[in-house]
Amino acid sequence: MKVSLFVTCLVDMFQSGAGKATVELLERLGCEIDFPESQVCCGQPAYNSGYVKESKEAMKNMITTFEHSEYVVTPSGSCGTMFKEYPHVFKGDPVWEPKAQALADKTYELTQFIVDVLKVEDVGAKLNGKATYHTSCHMTRLLGVKEAPFKLLSNVEGLEFEALPNAHNCCGFGGTFSVKMGQISEQMVDEKVQCAVDTGADYLIGADCGCLINIGGRMERKGKPVKVMHIAEVLNSK
């Protein structure tokens, strides 16, 4: 099975380990991975800030970049959701709407792809310790990926799972929200950090790098002993 990696800006710039783990994990599961080098930002920050016209150029580039891919897989529920938004953005455009729909139809978040397409729930991972899981807003509420991460984590050997209190609450990142509403964002991430600490977990796991950078940064500033990990890194653990 041939898979094109949509790595996302945050993985590329800040959390390359999650990208590497994604590639190694998918290769171990029998996928042939390619990385189209013309990929850039998916346009989400500009689009969500109201710059629809400007963001379309980035979107067209991404549509063209992955036009011939069999599957597109990303270690980000948020950016995967943005690809699903493309057909709405180009609705009524006779050239770009069908191309946008084709990209949306073949794009999957990592855990969604493993469980729903590869039909695998045990990847043979091993990680000792107690973990809790942060359900990111875009991945859960917009993309609709709710069960796949838990199915995969439940089969990680040595990992004890503890539910995160108030898991449905946003961590306060929200892209540009954390910049525009810094004080509110700080209160939200403080609540998320405390909930994670209260579980007694060694690891806080998530599937969106924006959330993990936000929570991890606050965790470090407050001197909390919880390690923040992308789910790809957990599933790639041996």
Side-chain angles (χ1 to χ4, degrees):
M1 186 173 290
K2 295 183 178 180
V3 173
S4 295
L5 176 65
F6 168 30
V7 77
T8 81
C9 300
L10 292 182
V11 172
D12 184 41
M13 302 293 280
F14 300 108
Q15 292 201 330
S16 58
K20 180 180 178 182
T22 298
V23 172
E24 292 178 349
L25 176 61
L26 290 175
E27 286 181 338
R28 198 167 73 245
L29 294 174
C31 298
E32 180 184 337
I33 313 297
D34 69 81
F35 179 79
E37 294 186 8
S38 58
Q39 61 181 285
V40 290
C41 177
C42 65
Q44 183 175 179
Y47 179 74
N48 287 348
S49 296
Y51 296 99
V52 178
K53 180 181 178 181
E54 292 81 356
S55 66
K56 282 185 176 181
E57 292 308 309
M59 295 180 194
K60 288 178 180 178
N61 174 77
M62 295 299 264
I63 291 170
T64 303
T65 294
F66 293 105
E67 190 168 10
H68 301 294
S69 299
E70 184 177 342
Y71 290 97
V72 178
V73 176
T74 179
S76 167
S78 180
C79 296
T81 297
M82 191 62 213
F83 272 14
K84 301 292 186 180
E85 183 73 9
Y86 281 13
H88 169 73
V89 176
F90 290 102
K91 188 172 181 60
D93 188 310
V95 175
W96 290 101
E97 184 182 0
K99 290 185 176 183
Q101 189 63 60
L103 176 58
D105 291 344
K106 64 185 177 184
T107 296
Y108 295 86
E109 182 274 331
L110 175 63
T111 65
Q112 178 189 35
F113 181 75
I114 294 173
V115 173
D116 296 344
V117 180
L118 298 183
K119 305 298 182 184
V120 174
E121 294 186 8
D122 187 345
V123 300
K126 298 178 182 179
L127 182 65
N128 293 320
K130 181 186 285 189
T132 192
Y133 182 81
H134 166 66
T135 53
S136 56
C137 299
H138 280 187
M139 182 165 159
T140 305
R141 299 170 186 172
L142 300 181
L143 194 59
V145 178
K146 301 176 182 179
E147 302 298 329
F150 293 101
K151 289 179 179 178
L152 292 166
L153 290 174
S154 68
N155 288 306
V156 176
E157 185 179 331
L159 196 65
E160 177 188 350
F161 188 79
E162 186 73 28
L164 184 66
N166 301 314
H168 59 281
N169 286 353
C170 176
C171 73
F173 179 63
T176 55
F177 172 81
S178 61
V179 178
K180 295 177 180 178
M181 303 290 182
Q183 291 181 325
I184 298 174
S185 174
E186 180 182 322
Q187 296 301 310
M188 294 170 74
V189 74
D190 278 349
E191 179 185 60
K192 185 66 66 173
V193 165
Q194 191 57 52
C195 286
V197 171
D198 288 346
T199 66
D202 303 298
Y203 310 102
L204 180 134
I205 302 167
D208 267 305
C209 286
C211 300
L212 297 180
I213 291 171
N214 188 42
I215 299 168
R218 194 61 177 165
M219 197 85 73
E220 185 175 340
R221 289 189 201 97
K222 295 177 78 71
K224 303 299 182 181
V226 183
K227 183 177 181 180
V228 174
M229 295 184 71
H230 191 282
I231 195 168
E233 297 172 306
V234 176
L235 298 176
N236 195 47
S237 299
K238 284 291 188 179

